[in-house]
Amino acid sequence: RVWQVVPAGQRPEAPAWVIGSLVHQALALWRFPGADFAPWVWARAREFGLTDAKQLAHAQTESARLLQRFRRSALFQEMDQADQRLPEVPYSYLVNGRVQTGYIDMLYEQAGSWTLVDFKTDHVGSEADLQRLLSQTDYTQQLRQYGRAVQQLLGITPRLKLCLLNYGREVRLIDVAAN
């Protein structure tokens, strides 16, 4: 498919899904803002159909902001020092006769303990916004599904963490029970 994202207004911004995709790709590569970050973001954003210079600049600024915020978090420190870090782990397994497939954002191991992290870039401004988001999405159920896949396929029970990269002006971690 070939398509183009066309700005809708005078101050065009990159669509949220593009910024989310850029951040996820950067995290999978463990690539963070630095000297060669802007050309990398612009090239990836063009692959998503962005052509407008203002949208491209916005995509760069916003993805860099979220990634820099993550680098200041305790989770980054823990993941950066992990014994193993496995990004974008594909899985496929049978559940009640149906095949479930997906990609796990990050699975990492430190001192024999495994943690599964699902990153989200949704803007969440308050606790009320967070509760509304969690009630309107399947984020926690999705995370549990990932945990079941890891349990079934690898025989390990990871801790489950939902990582909100855009909670106010900070990173917010939510521990999710496996259930």
Side-chain angles (χ1 to χ4, degrees), residues 7 12 61-62 94 104 142-143:
T61 301
E62 287 302 300
L94 282 175
I104 295 167
Q142 180 183 43
L143 190 54

Side-chain angles (χ1 to χ4, degrees), residues 2-114:
V2 176
W3 52 279
Q4 180 179 1
V5 176
V6 179
Q10 294 293 78
R11 294 188 39 186
E13 295 183 348
W17 69 268
V18 171
I19 293 166
S21 296
L22 292 168
V23 168
H24 277 80
Q25 284 185 7
L27 289 168
L29 296 169
W30 213 240
R31 181 181 200 125
F32 296 95
D36 61 345
F37 186 72
W40 179 84
V41 168
W42 282 53
R44 299 294 81 68
R46 284 187 178 110
E47 290 174 3
F48 292 123
L50 268 63
T51 57
D52 180 79
K54 289 179 182 174
Q55 283 184 318
L56 290 163
H58 180 258
Q60 175 194 337
T61 301
E62 287 302 300
S63 58
R65 183 178 61 80
L66 294 175
L67 290 164
Q68 288 167 334
R69 178 179 295 159
F70 176 64
R71 283 190 82 179
R72 293 188 300 269
S73 74
L75 180 61
F76 169 81
Q77 297 304 321
E78 185 174 310
M79 289 175 64
D80 197 45
Q81 297 170 10
D83 298 324
Q84 295 184 69
R85 193 174 49 246
L86 308 171
E88 293 296 317
V89 178
Y91 71 88
S92 181
Y93 74 115
L94 282 175
V95 176
N96 299 324
R98 297 182 68 198
V99 176
Q100 286 192 359
T101 61
Y103 286 88
I104 295 167
D105 287 348
M106 188 70 71
L107 185 62
Y108 70 95
E109 182 261 335
Q110 186 171 41
S113 178
W114 287 89

